[in-house]
Amino acid sequence: YMLMILGIMMAMGLLAGIANFFLSGPEGKTPARELVKFIVLGIVAAVLALGPSSREAASGQWGWSPFGALAHVPGLNLFRIPARYSQIVNLALALLAATACAASHRRFGHRARVATVVATLLLLTEFYVVNFPGGPPQPYPVPAVYKQIATLPPGAVLSLPHYANTPLWFREPNYQYFSTAHWHPIVNGDSREWPPQFRDLAERFKRFPDAAAASAMRDVGVAYVVLHANQPGAEDALAPARASPDFRLLAQIAHDYLFEVVPASRR
């Protein structure tokens, strides 16, 4: 991290020095005061991008590290992901680079403009991926069971396993993507903030297919349950779900099972 900050400071200092040198003299005034603003902005953003200290991250309590201190300020505490401060670093670097390029153009004319174009093209080559280990991105198809839901009457959908608040939390947004095949309401998903009751409901839903889970689903209006039985933690629920009077199997497509939550009046 310290090497990263040092590198950013060196880059900013170099760009500012170039701009300051070329803009000094009779043709222009030294823009040192304006350049310092960008340098300070970039360095502050780089420090904030480091995020909370290890102690703060472990305890979940904000202390007085640079990022932790900012988290005490109402409004600014909404910055959830520290790495996003790196965009401010990029902004400062871009402004300094633009100032340096403009200054060199004024001093050297056509040759400097050609150099800027060449440097820009070289910069863009950094985005070219060579022999990416995973190969080119592949389409991620929506499981067919979700297209089956599109033919059913309206009702909220729960997909299991439920990954919220688990080490595999990053799989939970997949269900939001899958919902585009049917556009029914869903109770899965991941977002910046969870409603207060979401964690409690998620834990109750994970006890599927017991009666308490079924009762919780009826309480919030869940009409359908998709069980991906080939996923860890879900295979053991299949046989009890098929035997449960609270759930009725509507469809099976490969390892995916679609259940209806049986209304209490029909049990």
Side-chain angles (χ1 to χ4, degrees), residues 7-17 38-39 42-43 89 92-93 96:
I8 291 172
M9 293 174 63
M10 291 177 62
M12 289 182 174
L14 177 62
L15 292 171
F38 297 142
I39 294 173
I43 293 174
V89 178
L93 286 171
L96 289 170

Side-chain angles (χ1 to χ4, degrees), residues 47 56 70 96 105 123 132 148 172 206 242 244 246:
V47 172
E56 291 171 336
L70 197 67
L96 289 170
H105 296 171
L123 177 65
F132 190 71
Q148 180 73 21
E172 189 71 8
K206 289 175 184 177
R242 300 187 71 164
S244 172
D246 293 303

Side-chain angles (χ1 to χ4, degrees), residues 144-152 224-229 238 241-242 247-261:
V145 68
Y146 291 97
K147 299 177 182 179
Q148 180 73 21
I149 297 174
T151 66
L152 299 176
Y224 308 106
V225 177
V226 176
L227 179 67
H228 298 280
L238 179 57
R242 300 187 71 164
F247 301 96
R248 182 170 69 93
L249 182 63
L250 298 179
Q252 175 192 352
I253 303 177
H255 297 287
D256 301 325
Y257 294 80
L258 173 61
F259 292 90
E260 177 191 20
V261 181

Side-chain angles (χ1 to χ4, degrees), residues 100-207:
C101 289
S104 64
H105 296 171
R106 186 176 295 121
R107 178 64 65 92
F108 297 110
H110 179 71
R111 288 177 299 172
R113 292 182 175 87
V114 171
T116 298
V117 172
V118 172
T120 301
L121 293 175
L122 290 174
L123 177 65
L124 292 175
T125 61
E126 191 270 336
F127 293 95
Y128 182 73
V129 179
V130 180
N131 295 328
F132 190 71
Q138 298 298 316
Y140 189 43
V142 176
V145 68
Y146 291 97
K147 299 177 182 179
Q148 180 73 21
I149 297 174
T151 66
L152 299 176
V157 181
L158 168 69
S159 296
L160 296 172
H162 207 303
Y163 296 110
N165 206 30
T166 72
L168 297 177
W169 60 267
F170 53 87
R171 292 186 179 180
E172 189 71 8
N174 289 347
Y175 297 138
Q176 293 172 278
Y177 165 56
F178 297 159
S179 71
T180 61
H182 56 75
W183 294 114
H184 288 223
I186 64 172
V187 295
N188 297 90
D190 186 70
S191 185
R192 178 169 183 165
E193 296 290 340
W194 288 341
Q197 68 274 26
F198 181 78
R199 292 175 185 266
D200 177 63
L201 282 174
E203 292 304 315
R204 295 170 68 184
F205 292 158
K206 289 175 184 177
R207 293 197 286 268

Side-chain angles (χ1 to χ4, degrees), residues 16-56:
I18 293 173
N20 189 52
F21 174 77
F22 286 144
L23 286 181
S24 61
E27 296 184 2
K29 296 181 179 180
T30 302
R33 184 176 301 175
E34 297 301 321
L35 296 177
V36 167
K37 293 179 183 178
F38 297 142
I39 294 173
V40 172
L41 176 67
I43 293 174
V44 170
V47 172
L48 291 173
L50 300 180
S53 66
S54 57
R55 180 177 299 178
E56 291 171 336

